[in-house]
Amino acid sequence: MRFPVAFPRTRIHPVLAMFGCALLYRLAVGIHFLLIGGITYQWTNEIAAIARSLVLRHAFAGAYSGYSGPTAWAAPVYPSLVAAVFWLFGVNNQASALILLLLNVVLSSATALVIYQLGRDYLSERVGLVAGWAWALSPVGVLMPLLLWDTSLSAFMLSLSLLVFLRSNSVRQCAGAGALWGASALVSPALLAPLPAMLVSRLWKVSTRVKLGLVFCLALVLALVPWSIRNREILHAVFPVRSNGWAEIYFGNVTFALHPCASPTGLYQKIGETQFVAQLKQETIQYITNHPGQFVWRSLGRAIRFWLVPFNFLPLTLILALCCWAGAVLLLRDVGTRALPLLSMLMFYPIVYYVTHIEARYRHPIEPVIYLLAAYAACRLFDRCKEWFRKSQAQENVEQVTTPNENAAIISKPCKVPFTGDDILVIRH
């Protein structure tokens, strides 16, 4: 007798399972650190300080202690999101910490879906699944949502912008892609570093490349104009997004002692952000002019460390870096110039940090591409091993057929088999 099934079995799509695992994994780790107080200390960083100023004084200002003036030290999007959370749930409390953690967790988990889509559309579905699951279960990636920073948002925006950009084939699509890249720049302007090379490689063989390129660039610039005008009017300087570019080069090569966070009564607080950045720009140019060899040597050291941080996970980061670059070489050999948009991420994005300083969160925005290329190399290696094993098995089967075994040797000898009467039948094989 068969009983009716109350709850029929339904097959969960692998992508939904990937997203669910990434979400639960990050949420569990995040709540653990939240309960032990590992997130609240970040209320002192510049993102939280600007968000507090937006809520309490309605001004994008006060990035560092001891200075309440206007700032462009950070891009506007993420501090504004934090300010919205502060306004709704309170400033610097556990409720806001939990909401900000959830925001980063959802963004990081959703990035796995974008990685899968990129892999499925431009490599293979298997590569997309492998890369997406690797991202979802990464022990390094699970820590990034803990940061009160634009790290998780930058990774999501860069991967989504890349996906939309590669799909753009019409004027309308290019306009949307340009606006999305402009929004990404307002999250972190470093995300634009690989864009020129990507734009050239993507549109080079398109007959309407000039028209599409102009529409794309116009939409991007229009997205940046309002913030650039604000910086010009309030800070009295030309800062398209952020003001701290030359200052970061100074901190990474000359000394970190002048950083605004070092002292509430430092040079930054005394002379203001615009003059501070202008002074450090002059000193940075002077340093590079007087010590070019030292600057190049330090940049090379940072170029190596960029691919290995965090050093606490060194075996994993080393394997990931090797597989990533192996995948880049294989993809370039397999598809030629069509691989350049992805390879541009690896070649041009890190340059910003080669000349400044290195932290694991700086590499995180391009890790979706890193995981994709590493997955491509792993899948190619698996296929090669599978092919080698199949050929080896086929060779063994051929040898077994062509090489006589012991029984065949015995049967091939003349043997006498009794038949009837006195007749003898001689059988030869």
Side-chain angles (χ1 to χ4, degrees):
M1 179 178 180
R2 292 185 178 181
F3 294 92
V5 179
F7 300 99
R9 294 181 179 180
T10 57
R11 184 175 179 270
I12 299 177
H13 195 281
V15 178
L16 296 179
M18 177 200 307
F19 176 77
C21 287
L23 189 68
L24 293 176
Y25 183 27
R26 283 156 174 75
L27 193 59
V29 173
I31 291 177
H32 168 73
F33 279 95
L34 184 64
L35 292 176
I36 65 175
I39 296 179
T40 55
Y41 76 95
Q42 297 179 59
W43 297 140
T44 60
N45 72 7
E46 56 265 44
I47 299 297
I50 295 172
R52 283 195 299 271
S53 178
L54 283 169
V55 173
L56 301 177
R57 300 193 295 118
H58 306 288
F60 199 92
Y64 292 100
S65 176
Y67 180 76
S68 59
T71 183
W73 201 269
V77 170
Y78 193 71
S80 300
L81 288 176
V82 176
V85 173
F86 282 174
W87 183 72
L88 291 172
F89 299 95
V91 177
N92 297 5
N93 59 24
Q94 285 291 93
S96 292
L98 179 59
I99 297 302
L100 290 169
L101 172 64
L102 289 174
L103 175 64
N104 286 343
V105 164
V106 171
L107 288 169
S108 181
S109 302
T111 304
L113 304 180
V114 183
I115 292 172
Y116 163 76
Q117 197 68 40
L118 278 167
R120 191 189 73 170
D121 287 0
Y122 299 101
L123 298 172
S124 70
E125 184 170 9
R126 183 177 58 164
V127 171
L129 285 172
V130 171
W133 275 106
W135 173 275
L137 303 177
S138 169
V140 180
V142 75
L143 300 176
M144 295 302 165
L146 303 177
L147 301 174
L148 187 63
W149 204 262
D150 59 64
T151 309
S152 297
L153 178 59
S154 294
F156 175 76
M157 290 296 292
L158 186 60
S159 57
L160 181 63
S161 298
L162 176 62
L163 178 63
V164 173
F165 173 73
L166 293 176
R167 287 178 170 180
S168 300
N169 295 310
S170 66
V171 172
R172 183 176 179 180
Q173 291 174 341
C174 282
L180 184 59
W181 276 94
S184 299
L186 294 175
V187 175
S188 174
L191 305 182
L192 294 182
L195 185 58
M198 291 172 54
L199 192 62
V200 171
S201 62
R202 174 70 174 81
L203 299 179
W204 182 254
K205 295 184 179 181
V206 179
S207 58
T208 58
R209 55 182 175 271
V210 175
K211 182 179 180 180
L212 295 180
L214 287 176
V215 169
F216 179 92
C217 293
L218 180 61
L220 190 152
V221 170
L222 289 177
L224 300 180
V225 164
W227 182 250
S228 302
I229 294 175
R230 175 264 178 191
N231 292 339
R232 182 69 182 86
E233 292 297 320
I234 295 179
L235 295 171
H236 309 290
V238 179
F239 299 134
V241 181
R242 297 179 66 176
S243 63
N244 63 332
W246 284 101
E248 298 298 339
I249 301 176
Y250 179 91
F251 300 146
N253 294 276
V254 183
T255 178
F256 201 80
L258 293 182
H259 197 283
C261 69
S263 171
T265 58
L267 181 63
Y268 174 88
Q269 287 81 357
K270 292 178 180 178
I271 66 177
E273 185 169 304
T274 302
Q275 294 184 16
F276 177 79
V277 170
Q279 180 174 327
L280 263 59
K281 176 182 178 180
Q282 295 178 357
E283 295 183 15
T284 301
I285 294 174
Q286 183 178 359
Y287 163 78
I288 296 174
T289 304
N290 296 334
H291 306 89
Q294 189 177 45
F295 175 73
V296 171
W297 181 253
R298 288 180 175 178
S299 298
L300 290 175
R302 286 187 289 263
I304 296 174
R305 294 199 305 274
F306 180 88
W307 298 98
L308 301 179
V309 293
F311 292 113
N312 293 337
F313 296 87
L314 186 57
L316 175 62
T317 55
L318 178 60
I319 293 172
L320 184 63
L322 294 176
C323 290
C324 165
W325 282 103
V329 173
L330 290 172
L331 186 63
L332 185 62
R333 189 186 67 176
D334 292 343
V335 302
T337 57
R338 287 182 295 170
L340 291 180
L342 292 181
L343 270 59
S344 298
M345 292 281 188
L346 306 184
M347 294 185 292
F348 295 101
Y349 172 84
I351 293 176
V352 176
Y353 303 103
Y354 292 167
V355 299
T356 55
H357 40 87
I358 302 299
E359 291 184 25
R361 63 184 173 92
Y362 295 155
R363 191 188 63 231
H364 190 68
I366 64 164
E367 286 187 352
V369 174
I370 292 175
Y371 277 87
L372 275 171
L373 293 173
Y376 184 76
C379 290
R380 286 293 305 276
L381 178 62
F382 177 80
D383 290 340
R384 184 63 61 88
C385 292
K386 187 177 179 180
E387 182 181 357
W388 175 84
F389 180 77
R390 185 171 62 249
K391 288 183 178 179
S392 178
Q393 289 293 107
Q395 185 65 26
E396 290 180 2
N397 293 336
V398 170
E399 291 177 356
Q400 289 179 0
V401 172
T402 57
T403 303
N405 55 28
E406 293 181 358
N407 293 332
I410 294 174
I411 294 175
S412 64
K413 294 180 180 180
C415 59
K416 296 181 179 180
V417 180
F419 187 61
T420 55
D422 297 331
D423 294 333
I424 300 295
L425 176 63
V426 178
I427 302 176
R428 294 183 181 272
H429 293 278

